[in-house]
Amino acid sequence: MSQQDWAAQALQSFDAVVQATDGFRSRGGQRRMAEQVAHTFAHAQLGKVEAPDGDDGAPPAPERAIAVVQAGTGVGKSLAYSVPAIAMALSRGTRVLISTATVALQEQLVHKDLPALAARMPQPFQFALAKGRGRYVCKLKLERLAGTGEAGDGGLEDDLFAEEEAAARAARPRHETEARMKFYATMADVLARGAWDGDRDTLESPPEPEVWSPVAAEASSCTGKHCPAFSQCTYYDRRKALVAAQVIVANHDLLLSSLGARLLPELDNCLLVIDEAHHLPATALDQFSCEADLSRLTWIDKLASRALRIGTLVEVEEVADVPNHSARLRAALQDAARTVMDVYGDELRSPRPAWGGARSGAAAGGTAARTPAAGMPTRARVAGGALPDALVEPFGQVAHHAAGFLDALRAIAKALRAEIRDKPDEARRLSTLYAQIGALAPRLEGVHDTAQLLLQDTPEGAVPAAKWFTLAVDGDFIVVKAHASPVLPGNTLRNHLWSAVRGAVLTSATLTSCGQFDFFLREAGLHGDAAVTTLEVPSPFDYALQGTFIASETHADPRQAADFTAEMVDALLSDLAMVEAGALVLFTSRDQMRQAVDALPTAMRSAVLVQTQMPRTQLLARHRERVAGGEPSIIFGMQSFGEGLDLPGALCESLFITKLPFAPPDDPVGEARAEWLRSAGRDPFSELVVPATAIRLAQWVGRAIRTEEDRAHVYCYDKRLVRTSYGQRLLKGLPPFTLQRRAAG
């Protein structure tokens, strides 16, 4: 079948599904997006590419096709990408991999969207949800904890709780420890009875991370098919479901963390859809950053002791190197910690300044207000990414001895797996030995990776890695840590993801910034890629008719935080008094929200629901109840409420943006990138801050109009939006509301 035939067939399936959906109206924008998806995937050359007949040379480079599609609110992008992608995958004998931003969005696709689609498509298909291993229980760990509690034998139980929690465990009341053990016993019982499937997310009350972590499955301590509990393992059972599925739904974290691990379909032989793609660059930076604790080092002795004992048992020659590597590694880390304090001590001993919400103004020519961040680690960044000479030798030693230690551990792990395979009767005991090493191995890998990145030289013209050190007090410990991260997410994605992908569609409601795709394409590593096409599908909503944007000005400059907040709160309270149904107020800082809460008149307090005062699900349920009962209900929320919150109709007839949501590059990675831009004669504010803010502001404003019947007013109290040139850039990226300007009172 030709590329044109594949695309035509996929579009026929899309049209058939739309016609078969009761009450569903055909949307021109949705059809255009479906056409783009079909065209893109039809042109992607999947699998092995053969040289032309009679040509003995190297096969030609495979044809790649990547579409970046911004689909405005109301377009119906899930249907527009899923139907043509699935239809084409079935025709081509391949699979669809859909990656979303969060587990919650994954579950919406798997439990709602895809079942509805499967009922309407003429060709049957199977779909499955892919989650990281850590969201499933390890039956062996659970059995040990449920049976023996925390009074371990110096073996696995010692590692089921992070070393950093040792003091907290010692101080924990006996009744709390007993309650935790009872919880594990109950969990083991419901698992054994088949009343629970081993998935953390399906527990009636999902446990806190510190309770779940000790029983979570981990790659480093898992012997896979050699484990005695393999036949009852939830994680591997779910992996079997993935093999049979034509559609797999993952999230961005899992997509990037499993590259090369064969957990998900091979990227050169599947159709990839990345939904909520604006999150992908930040996820990439998180995935490829690393850190190493230079202070708490007892785990090294513990790991060395186990490696010696277990390596001797399985007769691994490399175990002879462990005492030297472990001792030298520990000494090198201690030397590194001392040298860090010698070089950066003054900076690390000073309270780290936190931006008081005014950095954006400073970047635009104002004065930043800085206040100490209570309880936060202090930080010292390596200027220019060039590690001081005094630190090169100790971190060189760290990298060398960590690598040698890791080689010995790999040899021991290989020998253990062979023993487990050859001695099935001893599999349970040997799997426990494997886990005793594996539970600590990731720390060693983290130390090695951090040292390697800290030592990395920067070729001329390239962007240096971000490198920094932190100092914190944790109980009785003074903790020095080393950190390193790539600076440009685009480079990381280009090297690790796009080099393997043949066909992909990236989509979101907010991919353009100030009306252009350029910023996202650079961040995502797709700028200048000849395989990339872009499409902007506008929302079907009539924003000029359905919404009014009120640009409310203040006398105070938003860069002068105290004066501005006082004046803004007065104007906000006056406008809130007019609210008759649902409203959402978005704040840029906790302090700003606190001042607004404190200023609420008594009569209004009962109508306000504050994000920090109750769980999100409870707050939203109460909001819906109030609005349904004809009462006014006003949500006070922070930045996390500015995205992914769906409050249609009367639930959000008024949206209030207290201040432009600037996110200045004051984290170490952002600082390093801004420093590099300035060194090249470029402006970080214009190139980084404004485009990133444009995407965030568009997300915030997108909370207002959710359906074609909605009517809403959007208020913004930051006069920079209409008074500055960069404000005009931000306005270009917003829906075309009817704009009203309101002068300061």
Side-chain angles (χ1 to χ4, degrees):
M1 193 179 289
S2 70
Q3 294 175 342
Q4 290 78 8
D5 290 338
W6 277 329
Q9 190 178 75
L11 280 171
Q12 287 172 8
S13 294
F14 173 79
D15 291 337
V17 168
V18 170
Q19 291 168 11
T21 305
D22 293 337
F24 196 87
R25 285 180 290 176
S26 178
R27 300 169 181 170
Q30 187 182 54
R31 183 58 158 68
R32 285 199 302 278
M33 179 174 175
E35 288 173 1
Q36 182 68 61
V37 172
H39 177 82
T40 299
F41 284 146
H43 281 78
Q45 212 170 350
L46 304 179
K48 187 177 180 181
V49 178
E50 303 285 352
D53 291 341
D55 187 346
D56 296 330
E63 185 176 354
R64 299 165 59 245
I66 299 173
V68 176
V69 183
Q70 174 168 291
T73 306
V75 165
K77 60 184 171 65
S78 296
L79 193 69
Y81 67 64
S82 56
V83 178
I86 294 168
M88 189 168 300
L90 295 174
S91 295
R92 299 186 63 175
T94 186
R95 299 199 282 173
V96 179
L97 172 57
I98 302 173
S99 179
T100 70
T102 63
V103 170
L105 288 170
Q106 282 181 275
E107 292 182 334
Q108 177 183 319
L109 277 167
V110 168
H111 299 310
K112 181 183 175 185
D113 299 348
L114 290 175
L117 190 55
R120 294 182 179 90
M121 285 189 69
Q123 303 147 292
F125 66 90
Q126 290 180 271
F127 52 89
L129 177 63
K131 297 183 186 179
R133 190 189 301 252
R135 300 193 84 86
Y136 298 106
V137 75
C138 171
K139 195 168 184 290
L140 284 188
K141 288 181 178 180
L142 182 59
E143 284 177 357
R144 292 179 67 85
L145 270 180
T148 62
E150 292 186 53
D153 58 358
L156 181 58
E157 288 90 346
D158 292 345
D159 302 317
L160 295 181
F161 298 89
E163 182 182 353
E164 298 84 88
E165 295 179 17
R169 286 166 53 204
R172 186 182 298 149
R174 182 178 178 82
H175 69 85
E176 189 176 321
T177 299
E178 290 173 351
R180 183 174 288 195
M181 293 307 105
K182 184 177 179 181
F183 176 78
Y184 291 136
T186 301
M187 194 187 293
D189 179 59
V190 295
L191 183 65
R193 288 189 287 106
W196 175 49
D197 62 1
D199 182 341
R200 178 189 182 277
D201 300 314
T202 61
L203 284 169
E204 189 173 335
S205 299
E208 294 298 318
E210 62 269 19
V211 177
W212 175 255
S213 178
V215 294
E218 293 176 319
S220 60
S221 57
C222 177
T223 54
K225 63 183 179 182
H226 304 305
C227 174
F230 178 73
S231 61
Q232 299 94 41
C233 179
T234 303
Y235 171 68
Y236 279 100
D237 189 52
R238 296 295 172 85
R239 284 193 62 172
K240 292 174 193 171
L242 297 185
V243 173
Q246 285 92 18
V247 183
I248 295 173
V249 182
N251 60 48
H252 302 344
D253 276 310
L254 183 60
L255 172 67
L256 296 179
S257 65
S258 61
L259 291 174
R262 297 189 177 182
L263 167 64
L264 299 174
E266 297 290 335
L267 294 174
D268 63 356
N269 199 25
C270 78
L271 307 178
L272 174 65
V273 176
I274 298 182
D275 200 350
E276 299 300 316
H278 62 284
H279 286 290
L280 186 66
T283 304
L285 286 181
D286 287 342
Q287 280 290 335
F288 294 100
S289 64
C290 49
E291 68 174 38
D293 191 330
L294 308 182
S295 303
R296 293 173 293 205
L297 306 178
T298 57
W299 64 271
I300 296 176
D301 299 332
K302 190 184 296 184
L303 180 56
S305 172
R306 292 176 191 180
L308 280 169
R309 174 168 53 86
I310 297 167
T312 302
L313 266 175
V314 292
E315 300 179 347
V316 171
E317 291 181 6
E318 289 87 345
V319 76
D321 299 328
V322 167
N324 175 55
H325 284 311
S326 61
R328 300 282 294 275
L329 173 63
R330 181 173 184 136
L333 286 166
Q334 290 171 332
D335 187 18
R338 283 192 298 269
T339 309
V340 165
M341 293 308 296
D342 288 343
V343 176
Y344 295 106
D346 290 344
E347 196 172 347
L348 288 171
R349 291 186 185 98
S350 302
R352 180 164 74 86
W355 298 106
R359 179 65 184 97
S360 55
T367 302
R370 286 180 149 196
T371 55
M376 295 290 287
T378 54
R379 186 178 72 216
R381 188 174 60 82
V382 178
L387 199 67
D389 291 342
L391 286 167
V392 171
E393 173 60 23
F395 278 110
Q397 289 294 310
V398 168
H400 174 72
H401 292 293
F405 201 166
L406 280 170
D407 286 343
L409 292 188
R410 292 185 187 109
I412 295 167
K414 182 179 178 181
L416 270 174
R417 286 194 296 270
E419 287 274 297
I420 293 169
R421 183 184 63 243
D422 297 339
K423 301 175 181 177
D425 292 344
E426 297 185 45
R428 185 170 295 271
R429 179 182 68 85
L430 293 168
S431 292
T432 299
L433 297 179
Y434 190 95
Q436 287 178 2
I437 290 180
L440 292 172
R443 298 192 189 195
L444 183 58
E445 291 169 349
V447 165
H448 178 258
D449 292 346
T450 305
Q452 290 278 74
L453 195 45
L454 286 171
L455 291 165
Q456 186 181 89
D457 290 328
T458 307
E460 189 173 349
V463 185
K467 305 170 186 178
W468 70 100
F469 302 98
T470 56
L471 177 69
V473 177
D474 184 5
D476 295 332
F477 290 105
I478 294 177
V479 181
V480 179
K481 288 186 178 181
H483 309 257
S485 171
V487 165
L488 298 182
N491 285 353
T492 300
L493 288 167
R494 190 179 301 111
N495 295 333
H496 295 278
L497 179 64
W498 304 126
S499 60
V501 169
R502 300 279 180 82
V505 170
L506 294 82
T507 186
S508 168
T510 49
L511 292 180
T512 61
S513 178
C514 309
Q516 303 291 325
F517 280 102
D518 293 14
F519 178 71
F520 174 75
L521 293 176
R522 285 195 301 271
E523 294 295 283
L526 294 171
H527 197 268
D529 191 325
V532 174
T533 57
T534 60
L535 172 68
E536 183 175 357
V537 182
S539 168
F541 303 156
D542 186 343
Y543 283 102
L545 176 66
Q546 292 180 249
T548 303
F549 193 103
I550 298 103
S552 180
E553 300 186 28
T554 56
H555 292 292
D557 191 311
R559 294 170 294 187
Q560 307 303 323
D563 292 342
F564 168 76
T565 300
E567 189 177 352
M568 178 275 294
V569 167
D570 285 344
L572 172 66
L573 295 181
S574 177
D575 291 328
L576 289 179
M578 308 299 290
V579 169
E580 296 179 353
L584 173 63
V585 185
L586 294 171
F587 295 90
T588 57
S589 72
R590 286 180 180 270
D591 185 60
Q592 192 188 58
M593 184 165 72
R594 179 192 58 75
Q595 291 185 53
V597 170
D598 290 347
L600 285 171
T602 304
M604 195 181 291
R605 287 182 180 272
S606 62
V608 174
L609 300 167
V610 183
Q611 176 185 350
T612 54
Q613 294 179 358
M614 68 182 74
R616 180 181 176 122
T617 52
Q618 182 182 334
L619 181 148
L620 295 176
R622 190 172 299 181
H623 179 70
R624 291 186 178 97
E625 289 170 9
R626 287 180 176 179
V627 174
E631 302 175 49
S633 182
I634 303 164
I635 298 173
F636 277 17
M638 299 287 293
Q639 300 210 26
S640 62
F641 273 44
E643 181 175 349
L645 203 61
D646 193 22
L647 299 172
L651 294 173
C652 187
E653 289 187 345
S654 303
L655 172 69
F656 302 88
I657 296 172
T658 56
K659 195 174 185 179
L660 291 175
F662 282 107
D666 60 349
D667 64 285
V669 177
E671 287 175 354
R673 186 170 178 181
E675 178 183 63
W676 170 70
L677 286 171
R678 283 191 293 268
S679 71
R682 294 157 65 181
D683 177 17
F685 180 74
S686 182
E687 288 196 37
L688 290 181
V689 177
V690 172
T693 302
I695 290 176
R696 189 174 299 106
L697 183 62
Q699 282 283 345
W700 284 26
V701 171
R703 299 313 99 209
I705 303 289
R706 307 299 298 172
T707 74
E708 292 174 354
E709 288 74 39
D710 286 0
R711 297 291 186 273
H713 287 76
V714 179
Y715 297 78
C716 178
Y717 299 95
D718 194 322
K719 64 182 179 182
R720 292 174 295 183
L721 189 62
V722 290
R723 293 283 188 126
T724 64
S725 58
Y726 61 83
Q728 295 299 316
R729 289 173 60 193
L730 297 177
L731 272 174
K732 280 185 182 177
L734 297 181
F737 289 98
T738 297
L739 179 65
Q740 292 181 6
R741 293 181 64 167
R742 189 170 71 184

